[in-house]
Amino acid sequence: MLMNMQQFYADESGATAIEYGLIAALVSVAAITALTAMGDSLETIFTVVSSKLDDAALQATQ
């Protein structure tokens, strides 16, 4: 019984899984924060590109 308790106490595999989970959560939060911060500028860029493509399509049909 004492041997089993010592093995259970020394087992760190659960701690490793928790650490990987925390790292994945941190990376996810960082990615969401970065994409949210860039959201307005990306929207502006795509709006400009869309306008330029519309203008080019109109000129090509004339």
Side-chain angles (χ1 to χ4, degrees):
M1 176 85 174
L2 183 60
M3 182 85 118
N4 288 337
M5 294 291 278
Q6 288 175 342
Q7 287 176 346
F8 179 75
Y9 183 73
D11 186 16
E12 295 183 3
S13 61
T16 303
I18 291 171
E19 289 169 355
Y20 283 129
L22 290 172
I23 290 170
L26 182 62
V27 168
S28 299
V29 168
I32 290 169
T33 303
L35 291 174
T36 301
M38 292 181 359
D40 291 336
S41 63
L42 287 175
E43 183 177 353
T44 303
I45 289 170
F46 284 123
T47 301
V48 169
V49 170
S50 176
S51 298
K52 298 287 184 182
L53 288 174
D54 288 342
D55 292 344
L58 285 175
Q59 289 179 359
T61 58
Q62 293 177 352

